[in-house]
Amino acid sequence: KEIDRDTTGNVSFVEFAPEAALELARFKRWAEKKFGNMQALFQALDEDRSGAITFNEFRDTCARNGLPAELQDTITTLFLLLDYDGAGGRGAISAEEMSFLDVWKPPAYFWETPDHDAKDRFRQALLAKHNHNPLMAWRRALDRDASMRVSFEEFVIQHKTLVKKGVVEAPPGGITSLYVAFDEDRRGWITLRDWDPEAFETLRNFVTFVKQRYGNMNRFLKAAESMQPDEGERLGAGGGVPLGMFKGALKPGGFLPSKCFILFEALQAPVKKRGGHSMAYLFPSDISFLSHWDPDREVKEEATWSNMMSKKMALQIPAEGRRGAYRRLASLV
C-alpha cells in the first residue's frame, strides 16, 4: 500500500523507483528524438563495434551525441539502470539490455501539455451536475471507490463514462491533456486538493476537528445523535443522522452552516434511498472512509513529488496555485 501510490492495486516502475523511472524516461525520449529507436542508439554508442558498451564508452559517446546536460549529470544512474546484469553495475550494456527501452512505455502523461480550457469546462459540467458542490462532484463522479485518490487509469475510465452519459464533452486535445491539467506534477494520480483546494480544506478541517474532539467518525455520529434536530427532522433508523444534528455536532468547531451543508450533502452515499428513507440522513458507512485518510501526510507527499519533478523534469511550480505550472517539460530534450 505504501508503494501503490495511485491505489490501482498494481505497482508500476514509476511508483517503485520514481526518480530512476524519470531519469530513464527522459533518456528514452532523447534517444527516440535523436536516433529513432534503441537499435540505432546502440549502434551509435558502440563505436568500437564490440557488441557491448562500457561505462566510459556510454558516458563519452552520449556526450558527443548531444545528451542534454540535465541527463549527463545522471549518467551513472542511467548506466546502472541499463546494465541490469552487470557485475556491480559496471560491466557493459548489451544490445538486448538496450532493447528494454523499446518495450518499456513511460506514462503518456509525462509529456502531455495540459489543456486548462478543457479542465475549466470539465469542472463546470461536473459542478452543474452536482448542485455546484465540488466535494460531492469529487465523491460521486471521480473518487468512486472513496480512496481519496484518482489514478490516471481511473480518470480515463470515469471520463469515458461521463462522456457516454452526456455529462461532459470529450476534450479536443484528448483525455491525457485534460488529466495533466489537474496532475501537473505528473504523479499518476490526482487528489481532492488537485480537484478543488477549497473543498480539500473544508474536508481536512472536518476530519481534524472530528479526530480532536470526538476521537473518530463513529463517536462523532454518536454524539450527533444527541443533538437538537431541526424542525421536522428526526433520527433515522440504523443510526442515520439528519442535517440539523450534524450541524449541532460541528458547532463547537465553528463550521459555518454553508460548510456543514456542503459536507453533509457530499458525504452521503450516492444512492437514492436506503432502508425506505430518502437521502436526508448521514450513516456511519458514509464517512467510514475518512478514518483512513491522512490529509496532512497527503500534502507532504505531494510536496515531495513536486520538488522531485521540478528538478528532474524542469517544471517551475509557482508558490501559489498550479495553473500555469507547465513550462518546458515537453521541450526538455
PDB file of all heavy atoms in Angstrom, residues 217-249:
ATOM      1  N   MET A 217     -14.799   8.837  13.631  1.00  0.00           N
ATOM      2  CA  MET A 217     -16.034   9.158  12.923  1.00  0.00           C
ATOM      3  C   MET A 217     -17.263   8.548  13.598  1.00  0.00           C
ATOM      4  O   MET A 217     -18.334   9.179  13.664  1.00  0.00           O
ATOM      5  CB  MET A 217     -15.943   8.678  11.470  1.00  0.00           C
ATOM      6  CG  MET A 217     -14.893   9.401  10.658  1.00  0.00           C
ATOM      7  SD  MET A 217     -15.274  11.169  10.469  1.00  0.00           S
ATOM      8  CE  MET A 217     -13.606  11.819  10.204  1.00  0.00           C
ATOM      9  N   ASN A 218     -17.157   7.330  14.097  1.00  0.00           N
ATOM     10  CA  ASN A 218     -18.299   6.696  14.753  1.00  0.00           C
ATOM     11  C   ASN A 218     -18.726   7.455  16.007  1.00  0.00           C
ATOM     12  O   ASN A 218     -19.919   7.645  16.257  1.00  0.00           O
ATOM     13  CB  ASN A 218     -17.962   5.246  15.106  1.00  0.00           C
ATOM     14  CG  ASN A 218     -17.987   4.340  13.886  1.00  0.00           C
ATOM     15  OD1 ASN A 218     -18.645   4.642  12.895  1.00  0.00           O
ATOM     16  ND2 ASN A 218     -17.262   3.242  13.947  1.00  0.00           N
ATOM     17  N   ARG A 219     -17.750   7.886  16.803  1.00  0.00           N
ATOM     18  CA  ARG A 219     -18.071   8.651  18.006  1.00  0.00           C
ATOM     19  C   ARG A 219     -18.682  10.007  17.657  1.00  0.00           C
ATOM     20  O   ARG A 219     -19.544  10.514  18.391  1.00  0.00           O
ATOM     21  CB  ARG A 219     -16.815   8.845  18.846  1.00  0.00           C
ATOM     22  CG  ARG A 219     -16.302   7.562  19.499  1.00  0.00           C
ATOM     23  CD  ARG A 219     -15.031   7.817  20.262  1.00  0.00           C
ATOM     24  NE  ARG A 219     -14.480   6.592  20.827  1.00  0.00           N
ATOM     25  CZ  ARG A 219     -13.309   6.503  21.434  1.00  0.00           C
ATOM     26  NH1 ARG A 219     -12.544   7.602  21.537  1.00  0.00           N
ATOM     27  NH2 ARG A 219     -12.886   5.354  21.920  1.00  0.00           N
ATOM     28  N   PHE A 220     -18.241  10.566  16.553  1.00  0.00           N
ATOM     29  CA  PHE A 220     -18.826  11.829  16.095  1.00  0.00           C
ATOM     30  C   PHE A 220     -20.313  11.667  15.809  1.00  0.00           C
ATOM     31  O   PHE A 220     -21.149  12.470  16.250  1.00  0.00           O
ATOM     32  CB  PHE A 220     -18.092  12.325  14.851  1.00  0.00           C
ATOM     33  CG  PHE A 220     -18.824  13.389  14.086  1.00  0.00           C
ATOM     34  CD1 PHE A 220     -18.923  14.681  14.577  1.00  0.00           C
ATOM     35  CD2 PHE A 220     -19.442  13.094  12.870  1.00  0.00           C
ATOM     36  CE1 PHE A 220     -19.605  15.665  13.872  1.00  0.00           C
ATOM     37  CE2 PHE A 220     -20.127  14.061  12.168  1.00  0.00           C
ATOM     38  CZ  PHE A 220     -20.212  15.355  12.669  1.00  0.00           C
ATOM     39  N   LEU A 221     -20.668  10.613  15.068  1.00  0.00           N
ATOM     40  CA  LEU A 221     -22.076  10.402  14.736  1.00  0.00           C
ATOM     41  C   LEU A 221     -22.897  10.042  15.973  1.00  0.00           C
ATOM     42  O   LEU A 221     -24.068  10.436  16.088  1.00  0.00           O
ATOM     43  CB  LEU A 221     -22.210   9.321  13.674  1.00  0.00           C
ATOM     44  CG  LEU A 221     -21.873   9.725  12.239  1.00  0.00           C
ATOM     45  CD1 LEU A 221     -22.193   8.601  11.276  1.00  0.00           C
ATOM     46  CD2 LEU A 221     -22.607  10.994  11.822  1.00  0.00           C
ATOM     47  N   LYS A 222     -22.282   9.314  16.896  1.00  0.00           N
ATOM     48  CA  LYS A 222     -22.975   9.009  18.155  1.00  0.00           C
ATOM     49  C   LYS A 222     -23.284  10.286  18.916  1.00  0.00           C
ATOM     50  O   LYS A 222     -24.372  10.449  19.487  1.00  0.00           O
ATOM     51  CB  LYS A 222     -22.117   8.072  19.003  1.00  0.00           C
ATOM     52  CG  LYS A 222     -22.126   6.616  18.559  1.00  0.00           C
ATOM     53  CD  LYS A 222     -23.494   5.993  18.774  1.00  0.00           C
ATOM     54  CE  LYS A 222     -23.488   4.518  18.405  1.00  0.00           C
ATOM     55  NZ  LYS A 222     -24.855   3.911  18.555  1.00  0.00           N
ATOM     56  N   ALA A 223     -22.308  11.193  18.949  1.00  0.00           N
ATOM     57  CA  ALA A 223     -22.529  12.476  19.617  1.00  0.00           C
ATOM     58  C   ALA A 223     -23.589  13.285  18.888  1.00  0.00           C
ATOM     59  O   ALA A 223     -24.411  13.974  19.517  1.00  0.00           O
ATOM     60  CB  ALA A 223     -21.219  13.256  19.688  1.00  0.00           C
ATOM     61  N   ALA A 224     -23.601  13.212  17.560  1.00  0.00           N
ATOM     62  CA  ALA A 224     -24.579  13.954  16.775  1.00  0.00           C
ATOM     63  C   ALA A 224     -26.005  13.487  17.057  1.00  0.00           C
ATOM     64  O   ALA A 224     -26.956  14.277  16.987  1.00  0.00           O
ATOM     65  CB  ALA A 224     -24.262  13.811  15.286  1.00  0.00           C
ATOM     66  N   GLU A 225     -26.161  12.212  17.399  1.00  0.00           N
ATOM     67  CA  GLU A 225     -27.490  11.673  17.682  1.00  0.00           C
ATOM     68  C   GLU A 225     -28.150  12.344  18.896  1.00  0.00           C
ATOM     69  O   GLU A 225     -29.374  12.334  19.008  1.00  0.00           O
ATOM     70  CB  GLU A 225     -27.399  10.160  17.927  1.00  0.00           C
ATOM     71  CG  GLU A 225     -27.056   9.359  16.680  1.00  0.00           C
ATOM     72  CD  GLU A 225     -26.918   7.877  16.979  1.00  0.00           C
ATOM     73  OE1 GLU A 225     -27.197   7.484  18.142  1.00  0.00           O
ATOM     74  OE2 GLU A 225     -26.533   7.109  16.074  1.00  0.00           O
ATOM     75  N   SER A 226     -27.337  12.912  19.761  1.00  0.00           N
ATOM     76  CA  SER A 226     -27.882  13.565  20.958  1.00  0.00           C
ATOM     77  C   SER A 226     -28.131  15.057  20.748  1.00  0.00           C
ATOM     78  O   SER A 226     -28.605  15.742  21.663  1.00  0.00           O
ATOM     79  CB  SER A 226     -26.916  13.369  22.140  1.00  0.00           C
ATOM     80  OG  SER A 226     -25.682  14.019  21.894  1.00  0.00           O
ATOM     81  N   MET A 227     -27.822  15.567  19.575  1.00  0.00           N
ATOM     82  CA  MET A 227     -28.008  16.986  19.291  1.00  0.00           C
ATOM     83  C   MET A 227     -29.462  17.291  18.946  1.00  0.00           C
ATOM     84  O   MET A 227     -30.236  16.412  18.562  1.00  0.00           O
ATOM     85  CB  MET A 227     -27.091  17.410  18.129  1.00  0.00           C
ATOM     86  CG  MET A 227     -25.606  17.236  18.416  1.00  0.00           C
ATOM     87  SD  MET A 227     -25.065  18.302  19.769  1.00  0.00           S
ATOM     88  CE  MET A 227     -23.429  17.609  20.107  1.00  0.00           C
ATOM     89  N   GLN A 228     -29.801  18.569  19.054  1.00  0.00           N
ATOM     90  CA  GLN A 228     -31.156  19.013  18.752  1.00  0.00           C
ATOM     91  C   GLN A 228     -31.370  19.019  17.244  1.00  0.00           C
ATOM     92  O   GLN A 228     -30.651  19.688  16.508  1.00  0.00           O
ATOM     93  CB  GLN A 228     -31.383  20.427  19.310  1.00  0.00           C
ATOM     94  CG  GLN A 228     -32.786  20.971  19.096  1.00  0.00           C
ATOM     95  CD  GLN A 228     -33.832  20.225  19.923  1.00  0.00           C
ATOM     96  OE1 GLN A 228     -33.529  19.738  21.009  1.00  0.00           O
ATOM     97  NE2 GLN A 228     -35.043  20.149  19.426  1.00  0.00           N
ATOM     98  N   PRO A 229     -32.382  18.287  16.753  1.00  0.00           N
ATOM     99  CA  PRO A 229     -32.621  18.286  15.304  1.00  0.00           C
ATOM    100  C   PRO A 229     -33.332  19.568  14.879  1.00  0.00           C
ATOM    101  O   PRO A 229     -33.940  20.274  15.694  1.00  0.00           O
ATOM    102  CB  PRO A 229     -33.511  17.061  15.109  1.00  0.00           C
ATOM    103  CG  PRO A 229     -34.249  16.931  16.400  1.00  0.00           C
ATOM    104  CD  PRO A 229     -33.287  17.369  17.470  1.00  0.00           C
ATOM    105  N   ASP A 230     -33.254  19.877  13.589  1.00  0.00           N
ATOM    106  CA  ASP A 230     -34.024  20.989  13.055  1.00  0.00           C
ATOM    107  C   ASP A 230     -35.496  20.605  13.021  1.00  0.00           C
ATOM    108  O   ASP A 230     -35.863  19.425  13.140  1.00  0.00           O
ATOM    109  CB  ASP A 230     -33.552  21.326  11.633  1.00  0.00           C
ATOM    110  CG  ASP A 230     -32.185  22.015  11.627  1.00  0.00           C
ATOM    111  OD1 ASP A 230     -31.764  22.505  12.691  1.00  0.00           O
ATOM    112  OD2 ASP A 230     -31.547  22.047  10.555  1.00  0.00           O
ATOM    113  N   GLU A 231     -36.349  21.611  12.882  1.00  0.00           N
ATOM    114  CA  GLU A 231     -37.793  21.360  12.869  1.00  0.00           C
ATOM    115  C   GLU A 231     -38.160  20.386  11.749  1.00  0.00           C
ATOM    116  O   GLU A 231     -37.729  20.533  10.607  1.00  0.00           O
ATOM    117  CB  GLU A 231     -38.541  22.673  12.664  1.00  0.00           C
ATOM    118  CG  GLU A 231     -40.054  22.534  12.747  1.00  0.00           C
ATOM    119  CD  GLU A 231     -40.777  23.861  12.631  1.00  0.00           C
ATOM    120  OE1 GLU A 231     -40.085  24.901  12.592  1.00  0.00           O
ATOM    121  OE2 GLU A 231     -42.016  23.852  12.567  1.00  0.00           O
ATOM    122  N   GLY A 232     -38.921  19.375  12.099  1.00  0.00           N
ATOM    123  CA  GLY A 232     -39.374  18.387  11.136  1.00  0.00           C
ATOM    124  C   GLY A 232     -38.420  17.225  10.962  1.00  0.00           C
ATOM    125  O   GLY A 232     -38.738  16.266  10.252  1.00  0.00           O
ATOM    126  N   GLU A 233     -37.260  17.300  11.606  1.00  0.00           N
ATOM    127  CA  GLU A 233     -36.299  16.214  11.493  1.00  0.00           C
ATOM    128  C   GLU A 233     -36.480  15.209  12.625  1.00  0.00           C
ATOM    129  O   GLU A 233     -37.016  15.526  13.679  1.00  0.00           O
ATOM    130  CB  GLU A 233     -34.857  16.752  11.545  1.00  0.00           C
ATOM    131  CG  GLU A 233     -34.425  17.531  10.327  1.00  0.00           C
ATOM    132  CD  GLU A 233     -32.973  17.963  10.417  1.00  0.00           C
ATOM    133  OE1 GLU A 233     -32.395  17.947  11.536  1.00  0.00           O
ATOM    134  OE2 GLU A 233     -32.402  18.326   9.370  1.00  0.00           O
ATOM    135  N   ARG A 234     -35.978  14.019  12.378  1.00  0.00           N
ATOM    136  CA  ARG A 234     -35.938  13.005  13.420  1.00  0.00           C
ATOM    137  C   ARG A 234     -34.773  12.067  13.128  1.00  0.00           C
ATOM    138  O   ARG A 234     -34.290  11.996  12.001  1.00  0.00           O
ATOM    139  CB  ARG A 234     -37.245  12.209  13.476  1.00  0.00           C
ATOM    140  CG  ARG A 234     -37.597  11.480  12.194  1.00  0.00           C
ATOM    141  CD  ARG A 234     -38.939  10.769  12.308  1.00  0.00           C
ATOM    142  NE  ARG A 234     -39.335  10.148  11.052  1.00  0.00           N
ATOM    143  CZ  ARG A 234     -38.905   8.991  10.607  1.00  0.00           C
ATOM    144  NH1 ARG A 234     -38.039   8.292  11.317  1.00  0.00           N
ATOM    145  NH2 ARG A 234     -39.329   8.499   9.449  1.00  0.00           N
ATOM    146  N   LEU A 235     -34.326  11.386  14.150  1.00  0.00           N
ATOM    147  CA  LEU A 235     -33.223  10.450  13.994  1.00  0.00           C
ATOM    148  C   LEU A 235     -33.651   9.308  13.083  1.00  0.00           C
ATOM    149  O   LEU A 235     -34.732   8.739  13.249  1.00  0.00           O
ATOM    150  CB  LEU A 235     -32.795   9.910  15.357  1.00  0.00           C
ATOM    151  CG  LEU A 235     -31.484   9.120  15.410  1.00  0.00           C
ATOM    152  CD1 LEU A 235     -30.309  10.019  15.028  1.00  0.00           C
ATOM    153  CD2 LEU A 235     -31.279   8.552  16.815  1.00  0.00           C
ATOM    154  N   GLY A 236     -32.821   8.966  12.139  1.00  0.00           N
ATOM    155  CA  GLY A 236     -33.164   7.918  11.191  1.00  0.00           C
ATOM    156  C   GLY A 236     -32.899   6.538  11.746  1.00  0.00           C
ATOM    157  O   GLY A 236     -32.124   6.352  12.685  1.00  0.00           O
ATOM    158  N   ALA A 237     -33.539   5.555  11.146  1.00  0.00           N
ATOM    159  CA  ALA A 237     -33.315   4.172  11.542  1.00  0.00           C
ATOM    160  C   ALA A 237     -31.919   3.732  11.110  1.00  0.00           C
ATOM    161  O   ALA A 237     -31.407   4.167  10.089  1.00  0.00           O
ATOM    162  CB  ALA A 237     -34.372   3.274  10.902  1.00  0.00           C
ATOM    163  N   GLY A 238     -31.310   2.897  11.929  1.00  0.00           N
ATOM    164  CA  GLY A 238     -29.989   2.388  11.590  1.00  0.00           C
ATOM    165  C   GLY A 238     -28.866   3.377  11.822  1.00  0.00           C
ATOM    166  O   GLY A 238     -27.787   3.240  11.237  1.00  0.00           O
ATOM    167  N   GLY A 239     -29.095   4.363  12.678  1.00  0.00           N
ATOM    168  CA  GLY A 239     -28.033   5.310  13.012  1.00  0.00           C
ATOM    169  C   GLY A 239     -27.912   6.476  12.076  1.00  0.00           C
ATOM    170  O   GLY A 239     -26.885   7.173  12.067  1.00  0.00           O
ATOM    171  N   GLY A 240     -28.940   6.737  11.265  1.00  0.00           N
ATOM    172  CA  GLY A 240     -28.908   7.869  10.358  1.00  0.00           C
ATOM    173  C   GLY A 240     -29.072   9.194  11.079  1.00  0.00           C
ATOM    174  O   GLY A 240     -29.973   9.360  11.898  1.00  0.00           O
ATOM    175  N   VAL A 241     -28.209  10.164  10.782  1.00  0.00           N
ATOM    176  CA  VAL A 241     -28.229  11.477  11.417  1.00  0.00           C
ATOM    177  C   VAL A 241     -28.687  12.525  10.414  1.00  0.00           C
ATOM    178  O   VAL A 241     -28.121  12.626   9.327  1.00  0.00           O
ATOM    179  CB  VAL A 241     -26.826  11.842  11.960  1.00  0.00           C
ATOM    180  CG1 VAL A 241     -26.782  13.278  12.435  1.00  0.00           C
ATOM    181  CG2 VAL A 241     -26.415  10.889  13.076  1.00  0.00           C
ATOM    182  N   PRO A 242     -29.713  13.330  10.727  1.00  0.00           N
ATOM    183  CA  PRO A 242     -30.158  14.373   9.814  1.00  0.00           C
ATOM    184  C   PRO A 242     -29.241  15.592   9.868  1.00  0.00           C
ATOM    185  O   PRO A 242     -28.367  15.692  10.739  1.00  0.00           O
ATOM    186  CB  PRO A 242     -31.556  14.707  10.324  1.00  0.00           C
ATOM    187  CG  PRO A 242     -31.484  14.412  11.783  1.00  0.00           C
ATOM    188  CD  PRO A 242     -30.574  13.237  11.923  1.00  0.00           C
ATOM    189  N   LEU A 243     -29.459  16.524   8.960  1.00  0.00           N
ATOM    190  CA  LEU A 243     -28.594  17.690   8.827  1.00  0.00           C
ATOM    191  C   LEU A 243     -28.509  18.508  10.107  1.00  0.00           C
ATOM    192  O   LEU A 243     -27.429  18.953  10.501  1.00  0.00           O
ATOM    193  CB  LEU A 243     -29.087  18.570   7.665  1.00  0.00           C
ATOM    194  CG  LEU A 243     -28.344  19.886   7.452  1.00  0.00           C
ATOM    195  CD1 LEU A 243     -26.866  19.644   7.158  1.00  0.00           C
ATOM    196  CD2 LEU A 243     -28.998  20.685   6.315  1.00  0.00           C
ATOM    197  N   GLY A 244     -29.645  18.734  10.769  1.00  0.00           N
ATOM    198  CA  GLY A 244     -29.645  19.561  11.980  1.00  0.00           C
ATOM    199  C   GLY A 244     -28.736  19.004  13.060  1.00  0.00           C
ATOM    200  O   GLY A 244     -27.978  19.741  13.705  1.00  0.00           O
ATOM    201  N   MET A 245     -28.814  17.708  13.301  1.00  0.00           N
ATOM    202  CA  MET A 245     -27.958  17.072  14.300  1.00  0.00           C
ATOM    203  C   MET A 245     -26.491  17.115  13.870  1.00  0.00           C
ATOM    204  O   MET A 245     -25.583  17.285  14.697  1.00  0.00           O
ATOM    205  CB  MET A 245     -28.404  15.630  14.523  1.00  0.00           C
ATOM    206  CG  MET A 245     -29.755  15.496  15.200  1.00  0.00           C
ATOM    207  SD  MET A 245     -30.208  13.759  15.442  1.00  0.00           S
ATOM    208  CE  MET A 245     -31.650  13.938  16.516  1.00  0.00           C
ATOM    209  N   PHE A 246     -26.265  16.940  12.572  1.00  0.00           N
ATOM    210  CA  PHE A 246     -24.909  17.012  12.029  1.00  0.00           C
ATOM    211  C   PHE A 246     -24.314  18.394  12.302  1.00  0.00           C
ATOM    212  O   PHE A 246     -23.169  18.510  12.764  1.00  0.00           O
ATOM    213  CB  PHE A 246     -24.963  16.728  10.525  1.00  0.00           C
ATOM    214  CG  PHE A 246     -23.642  16.786   9.813  1.00  0.00           C
ATOM    215  CD1 PHE A 246     -22.752  15.731   9.886  1.00  0.00           C
ATOM    216  CD2 PHE A 246     -23.305  17.890   9.031  1.00  0.00           C
ATOM    217  CE1 PHE A 246     -21.528  15.769   9.209  1.00  0.00           C
ATOM    218  CE2 PHE A 246     -22.096  17.938   8.360  1.00  0.00           C
ATOM    219  CZ  PHE A 246     -21.207  16.880   8.441  1.00  0.00           C
ATOM    220  N   LYS A 247     -25.095  19.437  12.059  1.00  0.00           N
ATOM    221  CA  LYS A 247     -24.624  20.795  12.312  1.00  0.00           C
ATOM    222  C   LYS A 247     -24.369  21.022  13.792  1.00  0.00           C
ATOM    223  O   LYS A 247     -23.402  21.698  14.174  1.00  0.00           O
ATOM    224  CB  LYS A 247     -25.653  21.816  11.801  1.00  0.00           C
ATOM    225  CG  LYS A 247     -25.751  21.888  10.287  1.00  0.00           C
ATOM    226  CD  LYS A 247     -26.593  23.073   9.824  1.00  0.00           C
ATOM    227  CE  LYS A 247     -28.040  22.962  10.307  1.00  0.00           C
ATOM    228  NZ  LYS A 247     -28.865  24.084   9.776  1.00  0.00           N
ATOM    229  N   GLY A 248     -25.218  20.445  14.632  1.00  0.00           N
ATOM    230  CA  GLY A 248     -25.047  20.609  16.070  1.00  0.00           C
ATOM    231  C   GLY A 248     -23.740  20.033  16.570  1.00  0.00           C
ATOM    232  O   GLY A 248     -23.062  20.621  17.423  1.00  0.00           O
ATOM    233  N   ALA A 249     -23.352  18.889  16.031  1.00  0.00           N
ATOM    234  CA  ALA A 249     -22.101  18.248  16.448  1.00  0.00           C
ATOM    235  C   ALA A 249     -20.885  19.008  15.944  1.00  0.00           C
ATOM    236  O   ALA A 249     -19.799  18.903  16.525  1.00  0.00           O
ATOM    237  CB  ALA A 249     -22.059  16.810  15.955  1.00  0.00           C
TER     238      ALA A 249
END
